[in-house]
Amino acid sequence: MALSFALVIDPAASDDLRTDFSDSFRVIDTAAPALSVGELSTQRGDGIFESIGVVDRHPQELIAHLDRLAHSAQLCALPVPNREQWRQAVFAAAEHCPARGEGVIKLILSRGIEHGPTPTAWVTAGAAPDNTRVREQGIRVVTLDRGYSIDTPARAPWLLLGAKTLSYAVNMAAIREAKQRGADDAIFVSSDGFVLEAPTATLVLKEDGRYVTPAPNGGILHGTTQLGLFEHLGSLGDETAYETIRAERLATAEAAWLLSSVRLAVPIVAIDDVELPVDHELTASFNRFLLSPRA
């Protein structure tokens, strides 16, 4: 993402009883130094983030993203972001995304400087990469062992497995491993054989005419794009479900997709070298919906 805009948020201002938070933002030069060397986001990955897709300067699924940011903050014992302050920051940033086309806004909340008075928070905006090819042609994926069982998050909440943290080294390593195996992306599987999620996306399967996604437990992030798509499918009369999915079901799906805020709906053409059917017309209809303005 080529950054075109960035602003720093003063989280302390969120305690004020006000409706206009514009004076709690400070625009910064995207090419200039902005963080202290003591910043814990860079030293330890100690913080959380959200990536919001933007279409024609409209932030997509903003409510769901702000809900997930607040959930991550609670899991990480960070101050819960003031929803209205961050909403105003998002709309300020959206004005610097492409007027026509797709953009990306990132929200970052860090623990800040060790022993500092407040966390550090900032928002960036820029044009999104062109994902036309993968939306149309699809991707090959491999399954990778996530290294924990399906019940680990409930037994060890300090692992923060349900939070969208800045510590994405494992996620990026998984994508590199997938590419070394001749694939484009990965699907994490628990050590006891249950499907989880992709490193940066949510999995959706079509089985017997219904749409299924792994239940958002077991350390799975609840996908904002998947939520929007399921609401849309429900309005069309299609059946959707959250289920605990055994890995063996992947090879028998009628179709499968990875959903994320920036790539949107990307069809999976093969899992572990097992070819899957691809419904190009259905995928195109998903992406037409996902590219429409959505709250």
Side-chain angles (χ1 to χ4, degrees):
M1 180 179 96
L3 294 182
S4 60
F5 178 78
L7 58 80
V8 173
I9 298 175
D10 177 8
S14 66
D15 296 330
D16 297 344
L17 296 177
R18 62 164 99 178
T19 57
D20 182 2
F21 286 96
S22 57
D23 64 352
S24 69
F25 315 145
R26 176 170 56 86
V27 177
I28 58 175
D29 183 348
T30 59
L35 296 176
S36 165
V37 293
E39 170 59 47
L40 294 178
S41 62
T42 55
Q43 287 194 1
R44 300 176 184 169
D46 192 356
I48 58 176
F49 79 102
E50 285 289 321
S51 295
I52 302 175
V54 181
V55 177
D56 299 342
R57 291 186 174 168
H58 183 279
Q60 302 285 69
E61 278 136 2
L62 178 55
I63 294 172
H65 280 289
L66 292 177
D67 285 345
R68 197 165 66 178
L69 187 73
H71 177 66
S72 294
Q74 290 173 328
L75 290 176
C76 295
L78 286 164
V80 175
N82 181 292
R83 177 182 293 267
E84 181 59 21
Q85 183 187 34
W86 285 77
R87 189 192 70 81
Q88 291 179 26
V90 168
F91 278 103
E95 290 301 309
H96 297 268
C97 288
R100 290 290 179 266
E102 298 176 56
V104 185
I105 290 174
K106 287 195 174 183
L107 316 181
I108 301 99
L109 177 62
S110 158
R111 206 169 302 276
I113 301 171
E114 193 162 16
H115 309 306
T118 64
T120 306
W122 66 99
V123 174
T124 65
D130 184 359
N131 287 294
T132 303
R133 185 186 63 80
V134 292
R135 291 172 189 166
E136 294 177 350
Q137 299 180 14
I139 57 174
R140 304 179 71 87
V141 303
V142 293
T143 55
L144 297 178
D145 190 337
R146 188 66 174 89
Y148 59 77
S149 62
I150 193 75
D151 65 344
T152 296
R155 292 187 291 105
W158 52 87
L159 296 179
L160 305 178
L161 295 173
K164 193 172 179 67
T165 71
L166 293 171
S167 305
Y168 252 47
V170 169
N171 303 62
M172 298 301 99
I175 293 174
R176 290 194 299 272
E177 177 66 21
K179 291 181 177 179
Q180 288 175 2
R181 298 187 186 194
D184 305 293
D185 211 328
I187 295 173
F188 285 130
V189 177
S190 68
S191 57
D192 46 352
F194 293 97
V195 179
L196 300 173
E197 60 189 347
T200 62
T202 306
L203 175 70
V204 171
L205 303 177
K206 185 179 182 183
E207 298 179 320
D208 299 322
R210 57 200 288 271
Y211 299 91
V212 184
T213 193
N217 50 33
I220 297 175
L221 285 172
H222 206 162
T224 56
T225 307
Q226 170 265 313
L227 278 167
L229 180 64
F230 269 27
E231 183 177 353
H232 171 64
L233 291 170
S235 71
L236 298 176
D238 292 309
E239 183 180 351
T240 62
Y242 295 89
E243 295 181 0
T244 302
I245 301 171
R246 294 289 310 182
E248 294 80 18
R249 286 170 59 179
L250 293 174
T252 61
E254 295 173 28
W257 298 265
L258 291 185
L259 270 69
S260 58
S261 298
V262 179
R263 285 193 307 187
L264 304 182
V266 175
I268 298 174
V269 302
I271 301 177
D272 292 332
D273 291 326
V274 175
E275 303 294 321
L276 282 186
V278 176
D279 190 328
H280 293 285
E281 184 176 346
L282 181 60
T283 300
S285 73
F286 287 175
N287 283 316
R288 282 195 297 272
F289 164 72
L290 293 172
L291 286 167
S292 64
R294 290 169 291 115

